[in-house]
Amino acid sequence: MQNYLLPPRIEFGAGAVQNLGEHVKTFKCQKPLLVSDAGVINAGLLAKAIDALETSGLPSATYSDIEPNPTDMSITHGVEVYNSEACDIVIAVGGGSVMDAAKAIRLLTTHEPPLDPYYADVGGVERIRGDMPPLICVPTTAGTGSEVSQGAIITDTSFNTTDRWRKRAIVTPFNMSNIALLDPGITLGMPPALTAATGMDAITHGIEAYVATKYHPIAEGVALQALRMLSANIQKVYHDSGDVTARGEMLLGSCMAAFSFQKGLGAVHSLAHQLSTDAPIPHGVANAILLPPVMEFNFSYATEKYAEIARALGIDTRGMDSSEAGNAAIDKIRTFNTELKMPIGLGDAGLDKKKIPKLGADAMLDHCHKFNPRACTEADMVALFEAAF
Ligand SMILES: [Fe+2]
């Protein structure tokens, strides 16, 4: 039996954030907890959300101590603010880290702390109920798509697998936001490097989801359309930060790509998840570097699908056989990486080569590669890190 989950509501359009207060009222809620971070505040974006709430006559509380890789400790503090301020709804204004933290905070407002029993690797999905306050997500980057994904990645400071903290996932259908407010006006000021990294994360979601092994034809169709939109616009937004039409295509495309990865992700994400805390290399940059070697590793297991991806990436494949077209898709990713000024390899991005054997072992613990079209061994993971070095 298959279960396909659709996001409850996506509102898309420039100025969508101005409707925030009215959305809060439709849930009959009176005091939101705004979850955000310092970068979003400094960019003046949280103020837009607060203004919208005040226009609707709504007070709010803010919790903004969210790190780039949110820890269980910051979740605990966020829940304390939610309770002490008597909030009744959670609004995330930020990128993937903020949205993931908001999901975990919301969980612990109605579920007994700590987070430990709710992680996916200990069967947490069975323990998570739907009785949680509403969640509205306002993404400020176009990449993670966390507003419609079922996962929240939290750095567990109590789980010391090797010599560092481990990233763990909380996965539940209830993690999809009740409303995703996609306002391209919010993403206009994103600097080029962040635009490139988050955009390549979204493209990686679309590619890994499309070739992932679960049977999910809805997600396959959405993944291809997401790739069309993302590949046609990523260079535009990199070179012209004020192109609101292209920003909108990237924002909606990244949301669609994240929706599609309920079909599964792949080895790129299992490898990249090891780098953000240890190297540290931003998630999107790690994905961009790892994607071509993983596509080569998978190639004979997904040749026809890579050929279809080539067409979605805008390549004219007439006269090519599947193998030539699939290889053209890999070349196109390398072209994007060059034009978007990505580091030329993981070494260039700051990885210490001596860490590769341990990172390869840890990558095997990550759940994403279970849906990779080609089964991965620890030796494969190590070889992929070395190929991307
Ligand atoms: Fe990702």
Side-chain angles (χ1 to χ4, degrees):
M1 209 61 71
Q2 304 289 332
N3 283 284
Y4 303 132
L5 297 157
L6 302 177
R9 181 169 178 179
I10 298 169
E11 183 165 304
F12 168 70
V17 73
Q18 289 160 19
N19 302 334
L20 195 51
E22 296 314 304
H23 287 305
V24 170
K25 288 180 177 175
T26 63
F27 292 111
K28 302 207 178 337
C29 293
Q30 285 157 3
K31 188 166 183 190
L33 175 71
L34 289 157
V35 180
S36 195
D37 66 18
V40 174
I41 292 173
N42 292 340
L45 302 180
L46 185 67
K48 293 186 183 206
I50 293 173
D51 285 349
L53 293 171
E54 284 177 352
T55 301
S56 299
L58 289 166
S60 61
T62 297
Y63 177 65
S64 60
D65 290 339
I66 306 295
E67 319 89 320
N69 297 292
T71 64
D72 48 354
M73 293 184 286
S74 56
I75 304 310
T76 304
H77 294 146
V79 176
E80 286 165 6
V81 176
Y82 181 95
N83 289 331
S84 66
E85 293 281 341
C87 297
D88 54 7
I89 181 172
V90 177
I91 301 174
V93 183
S97 299
V98 164
M99 289 189 275
D100 283 5
K103 290 173 180 177
I105 289 169
R106 170 177 176 255
L107 173 73
L108 289 191
T109 62
T110 55
H111 291 61
E112 189 67 26
L115 276 176
D116 297 60
Y118 308 113
Y119 291 115
D121 54 21
V122 291
V125 66
E126 303 295 332
R127 299 187 187 99
I128 299 175
R129 310 175 308 269
D131 60 324
M132 290 187 269
L135 172 66
I136 300 176
C137 285
V138 184
T140 58
T141 60
T144 153
S146 183
E147 65 274 10
V148 295
S149 75
Q150 299 173 66
I153 305 290
I154 303 297
T155 299
D156 182 359
T157 58
S158 68
F159 198 112
N160 207 337
T161 42
T162 51
D163 59 355
R164 65 199 172 84
W165 297 336
R166 181 173 156 204
K167 288 185 134 187
R168 300 175 79 186
I170 298 165
V171 181
T172 167
F174 303 118
N175 266 345
M176 277 191 175
S177 61
N178 299 85
I179 301 178
L181 271 189
L182 304 186
D183 184 344
I186 290 274
T187 65
L188 283 182
M190 226 197 316
L194 184 61
T195 298
T198 51
M200 287 308 294
D201 183 28
I203 286 175
T204 307
H205 293 159
I207 291 176
E208 290 217 283
Y210 186 65
V211 302
T213 52
K214 268 194 214 169
Y215 179 71
H216 196 327
I218 306 168
E220 285 199 9
V222 173
L224 284 182
Q225 182 60 18
L227 287 171
R228 291 184 193 107
M229 292 162 70
L230 295 164
S231 63
N233 289 284
I234 192 166
Q235 287 153 300
K236 285 186 197 170
V237 293
Y238 182 72
H239 293 294
D240 177 6
S241 67
D243 185 336
V244 72
T245 304
R247 288 283 185 191
E249 293 280 293
M250 290 299 293
L251 191 56
L252 196 48
S254 65
C255 179
M256 291 160 62
F259 162 79
S260 73
F261 76 62
Q262 62 179 266
K263 181 172 180 276
L265 282 168
V268 176
H269 271 77
S270 285
L271 295 161
H273 284 159
Q274 312 316 314
L275 296 170
S276 45
T277 48
D278 213 32
I281 300 171
H283 176 67
V285 173
N287 282 337
I289 297 169
L290 287 157
L291 186 54
V294 170
M295 289 173 80
E296 285 169 348
F297 172 77
N298 290 339
F299 197 79
S300 59
Y301 293 75
T303 309
E304 296 291 336
K305 285 196 158 174
Y306 284 140
E308 202 57 52
I309 285 169
R311 287 182 273 280
L313 297 178
I315 297 163
D316 182 355
T317 61
R318 282 174 294 182
M320 296 183 190
D321 62 23
S322 297
S323 179
E324 289 165 336
N327 275 303
I330 301 174
D331 290 343
K332 180 88 176 188
I333 298 302
R334 290 206 164 98
T335 301
F336 280 149
N337 285 348
T338 303
E339 293 195 21
L340 301 173
K341 297 193 170 52
M342 290 289 163
I344 54 171
L346 296 175
D348 186 34
L351 177 66
D352 177 356
K353 198 168 190 179
K354 293 195 291 294
K355 293 182 174 174
I356 285 180
K358 184 157 56 64
L359 295 176
D362 285 352
M364 289 303 290
L365 300 174
D366 185 274
H367 65 287
C368 291
H369 71 85
K370 293 187 175 63
F371 306 103
N372 196 66
R374 177 175 173 183
C376 302
T377 65
E378 185 176 326
D380 292 331
M381 294 300 195
V382 170
L384 286 166
F385 271 131
E386 285 173 348
F389 192 80

